[in-house]
Amino acid sequence: MSGEEAPAQQQAPDGGEPPAASGAPQEEPVSVRALVLTGYGGYDKVRLQVKTQAQPRLKPGEVLVRVKACGLNFAELLGRQGLYELLPPPPVTMGMEGAGAVEAVAEDVKDRRVGERVIVLGRSGMWQELVVVAAGRTFPMPEQMSFEEGAALPINYMTAYMMLFEMANLRPGKSVLVHMAAGGVGVAATQLCGTVRDVTVFGTASASKHETIAQGGVTHPIDYRTKDYVEEIRKISPKGVDIVLDPLGGADTQKGYSLLKPMGMLVVFGAANCVTGQKKNLLAMAKTWYNQLSLNTLKLMQANKAISGFHLGYVTDEQLFTRTMCALMELYRQGKIKPRIDSCFHFEEVTDAMKRMHERQNIGKVILLPEPKKEEEKPEPKAEEGKSVEESEAATVDQKKEEEEEGEEATVEVQVEKIE
């Protein structure tokens, strides 16, 4: 059986072994809906599967969470193309963040309780209805926070927070260039800049998003599609900016470095320029890396500039994770940050969700909902004027056949499996 055809096994959130079945008397099996990457390629490689499995047995320090909402990140678009090295090979349940309610806790877990609403983090495995995770990777949600907001907060806001405050040491009076300012990290970075006095934010986004990101805190929106953002920034701030957050890579990294003021810092945290179509584009990858910035330490010394790299997936300091999440929760309680939800899609609509992010249509976070999508009730067909009811019903049957034939081309496939 090929890797693309193999049935998906339940994934532990950290990519480890799946939870074992209980040795106690057999309980009723449970059905779990999950989004599984079955192979590398286009949208059709992410499929909705229904897995029938035994009740999971919790190991010491673990909790069982029923997920109500999941976050979609650019990393998942990279992972689908085989470009995210931290994702286990297919078949694998994707997803790094979610929010839900605790359904069970191990005997030694004292700081979580059944029914508690929590945010959940993992390297993968979050895109499913039930997950087993270490209690330390769950965080109690503020009472006023929705599950959708809870799923939208961790990855984007932790990334932005660590870059701005742990690496770039953002202080009052500084200026920041935020690329993709309407995306999840862009919105988070803009809001976090707003928590510091007199910070100027330059944000690149398509013109249709300017009004929204300006209301969200971007001081100077710039349409990167029609204007050279370097020239536009120079018109407003001839000396450049203090901090550049670069998720693009390639030639844009060189432009970002050129915009830095002395003592400024460029933080590279992605290579979005590598992703152009549904599948891996070797030409785009080669072009991006060919144009990548190359410097030596002597040039950095002479320019008095700093370059750093950031990848949340490689952060292993659990205390830093906890400290950052606690800081973000407090900012949320104070009303200083609030995740912007762009749209919500049920698991059946994962293709539409990925397309929306891939085509840069979103303003804020795209959310996935594990619960089944309710079928819309359709009104009874009415006979057209001049036709009998029988003729009208026959036409409806023909139309349904056509729709079913078109449905065979759908990119989301539901599979029912039994996991022993």
Side-chain angles (χ1 to χ4, degrees):
M1 182 178 289
S2 69
E4 295 184 7
E5 298 172 342
Q9 301 297 315
Q10 185 182 6
Q11 299 289 322
D14 60 359
E17 292 298 318
S22 173
Q26 290 294 322
E27 300 179 12
E28 287 293 324
V30 294
S31 293
V32 178
R33 290 158 51 86
L35 289 176
V36 178
L37 179 67
T38 60
Y40 300 129
Y43 300 122
D44 61 317
K45 298 302 181 183
V46 181
R47 300 176 181 175
L48 173 59
Q49 298 183 352
V50 181
K51 301 181 290 186
T52 301
Q53 60 191 42
Q55 291 280 357
R57 182 180 63 194
L58 299 181
K59 298 176 182 178
E62 292 183 334
V63 297
L64 176 67
V65 178
R66 181 167 293 277
V67 179
K68 300 294 186 179
C70 313
L72 172 62
N73 294 285
F74 200 81
E76 275 92 40
L77 300 188
L78 293 172
R80 198 194 69 231
Q81 297 187 6
L83 299 176
Y84 190 71
E85 65 277 8
L86 293 178
L87 183 69
V92 59
T93 301
M94 301 177 75
M96 299 184 292
E97 60 187 345
V102 176
E103 288 209 343
V105 298
E107 291 184 2
D108 64 329
V109 175
K110 306 302 181 183
D111 55 350
R112 295 291 177 269
R113 66 182 187 278
V114 174
E116 189 172 20
R117 300 162 71 250
V118 293
I119 291 173
V120 192
L121 284 173
R123 294 189 182 279
S124 61
M126 292 295 107
W127 287 2
Q128 56 183 332
E129 289 181 297
L130 285 174
V131 294
V132 174
V133 296
R137 281 300 180 98
T138 64
F139 302 89
M141 294 168 53
E143 184 177 348
Q144 67 271 34
M145 180 181 284
S146 67
F147 287 123
E148 290 78 10
E149 288 179 331
L153 186 137
I155 301 300
N156 291 161
Y157 281 81
M158 291 180 73
T159 296
Y161 188 97
M162 290 184 187
M163 289 192 298
L164 288 171
F165 299 116
E166 298 287 346
M167 301 194 81
N169 191 25
L170 178 63
R171 302 186 304 282
K174 297 297 183 179
S175 55
V176 183
L177 169 58
V178 178
H179 284 293
M180 301 170 67
V185 175
V187 170
T190 300
Q191 290 183 6
L192 289 170
C193 285
T195 66
V196 181
R197 179 171 48 85
D198 297 330
V199 171
T200 301
V201 179
F202 295 88
T204 62
S206 57
S208 62
K209 302 176 181 178
H210 283 191
E211 181 178 355
T212 302
I213 64 174
Q215 293 173 351
V218 172
T219 317
H220 302 289
I222 301 172
D223 184 2
Y224 68 97
R225 295 182 177 180
T226 61
K227 297 181 180 179
D228 184 332
Y229 63 84
V230 175
E231 293 181 2
E232 295 301 310
I233 292 173
R234 292 286 185 192
K235 290 177 184 177
I236 300 168
S237 178
K239 293 183 179 180
V241 297
D242 297 294
I243 300 170
V244 175
L245 304 183
D246 173 29
L248 303 174
D252 288 290
T253 303
Q254 297 192 42
K255 292 180 179 180
Y257 180 79
S258 72
L259 278 169
L260 284 182
K261 294 178 180 179
M263 306 299 176
M265 175 175 281
L266 167 67
V267 184
V268 181
F269 69 103
N273 286 333
C274 287
V275 180
T276 56
Q278 281 194 50
K279 301 179 181 180
K280 183 190 299 184
N281 187 327
L282 296 178
L283 181 60
M285 293 175 62
K287 182 179 179 181
T288 299
W289 293 115
Y290 178 79
N291 291 316
Q292 196 66 30
L293 179 66
S294 178
L295 292 170
N296 58 46
T297 53
L298 179 60
K299 288 184 178 180
L300 287 174
M301 290 169 57
Q302 293 170 342
N304 286 311
K305 296 180 180 182
I307 299 177
S308 61
F310 181 82
H311 194 308
L312 185 64
Y314 285 103
V315 175
T316 58
D317 186 340
E318 295 297 326
Q319 291 184 347
L320 176 59
F321 267 106
T322 302
R323 185 171 72 245
T324 302
M325 282 297 294
C326 289
L328 291 171
M329 293 297 193
E330 183 58 30
L331 289 173
Y332 178 89
R333 291 188 183 94
Q334 295 174 6
K336 294 182 178 180
I337 63 172
K338 184 177 178 64
R340 180 186 175 89
I341 307 302
D342 171 80
S343 50
C344 295
F345 295 86
H346 292 270
F347 274 4
E348 292 88 344
E349 305 167 309
V350 63
T351 292
D352 295 329
M354 286 190 157
K355 280 183 178 179
R356 185 165 181 81
M357 177 175 283
H358 183 93
E359 296 171 4
R360 310 289 199 273
Q361 296 176 350
N362 59 301
I363 302 179
K365 189 76 170 185
V366 177
I367 296 295
L368 295 170
L369 304 175
E371 67 177 1
K373 182 181 180 181
K374 296 179 180 179
E375 294 185 5
E376 298 179 2
E377 294 184 3
K378 296 183 180 180
E380 290 295 325
K382 296 181 179 179
E384 296 181 20
E385 186 177 353
K387 289 185 178 181
S388 67
V389 174
E390 290 79 6
E391 289 175 327
S392 185
E393 290 179 348
T396 302
V397 171
D398 291 339
Q399 183 180 353
K400 286 184 177 180
K401 286 183 178 179
E402 291 179 2
E403 291 175 353
E404 290 173 356
E405 290 173 356
E406 291 175 357
E408 293 178 359
E409 299 177 359
T411 55
V412 179
E413 178 178 318
V414 181
Q415 299 177 350
V416 180
E417 302 173 358
K418 185 174 182 180
I419 306 299
E420 297 296 338

